[in-house]
Amino acid sequence: LIGLLSIGLMVLYPKYAPKLSKKVPAPIIVIALAIFLGYEFGLLRSHAYSFMHEKFTVGPKMLVSIPSDILSSFHLPDFSRALEFVSIKHAIIFALVASIESALTVKAIDSLAKIRPASNVNKDLIATGIANTLAGMVGGIPMIAESVRSRANVDSGARSYFSNMFHGLFLLGDLVVYKLNT
């Protein structure tokens, strides 16, 4: 039900409330609705229910688990095999795929945003490379220029690189608020 309502809102809200949807994007309303319905449906406590003669069990085990001490989740990687052929091969593949995807995303978003001057693809690739190297050194996963987030930023009227930074800060803030409430 939460998923169907979310999809319905994503499709119908911009169509029937276009001016309001520019100020308060559909994804914000969908997230607020999903959180509210999650609490109302008791997703934080284990329970069973029946639907169409089937019995279902829901509860915290079905949700994403966030550790109580986030810093304990960070582990330094084992570099003992870093210079082996397989490791180097995979590092090159990740670097090439991430670079191509990032460059294509920058070009696509520039064409959607129609803002001049166009983004500097070289700066984006260098920033992505540095960030991926640093993330890998602390056991993180590679990141790429996210086209869906970038499109949402463009649709919401974002005009600078700060929109992606604020996106990350909002995610961090959500995580902190969640941990403070549990």
Side-chain angles (χ1 to χ4, degrees):
L1 180 63
I2 293 172
L4 290 175
L5 285 173
S6 298
I7 292 170
L9 266 173
M10 291 291 288
V11 172
L12 298 175
Y13 174 68
K15 184 177 181 179
Y16 290 104
K19 288 184 180 179
L20 187 58
S21 70
K22 290 290 184 189
K23 295 189 185 302
V24 182
I28 298 291
I29 293 176
V30 166
I31 288 171
L33 177 71
I35 291 170
F36 173 76
L37 290 176
Y39 280 111
E40 287 299 308
F41 292 157
L43 296 181
L44 294 178
R45 60 177 171 74
S46 294
H47 65 282
Y49 70 95
S50 295
F51 180 72
M52 297 181 71
H53 309 293
E54 294 284 332
K55 190 168 185 157
F56 298 93
T57 303
V58 296
K61 291 181 181 177
M62 304 297 180
L63 301 175
V64 174
S65 175
I66 300 174
S68 58
D69 180 18
I70 294 175
L71 292 179
S72 68
S73 303
F74 289 99
H75 301 282
L76 292 176
D78 176 9
F79 289 107
S80 64
R81 299 178 65 190
L83 297 177
E84 291 181 10
F85 175 74
V86 167
S87 297
I88 294 170
K89 178 180 79 170
H90 285 101
I92 291 170
I93 290 170
F94 274 120
L96 290 175
V97 169
S99 298
I100 291 168
E101 199 280 340
S102 290
L104 290 173
T105 298
V106 167
K107 290 297 185 185
I109 297 302
D110 274 355
S111 70
L112 287 173
K114 297 181 177 118
I115 297 172
R116 296 293 174 247
S119 300
N120 185 333
V121 178
N122 288 335
K123 277 186 179 179
D124 182 74
L125 291 174
I126 290 168
T128 301
I130 291 169
N132 284 340
T133 300
L134 294 174
M137 290 181 155
V138 295
I141 58 173
M143 57 187 142
I144 53 175
E146 172 49 59
S147 56
V148 174
R149 181 186 63 236
S150 298
R151 173 65 192 255
N153 286 338
V154 168
D155 289 347
S156 299
R159 296 288 178 243
S160 73
Y161 295 111
F162 288 112
S163 59
N164 280 333
M165 180 187 73
F166 286 124
H167 182 91
L169 290 175
F170 283 128
L171 289 174
L172 179 62
D174 289 341
L175 182 65
V176 168
V177 168
Y178 173 79
K179 289 317 289 176
L180 291 175
N181 288 322
T182 55

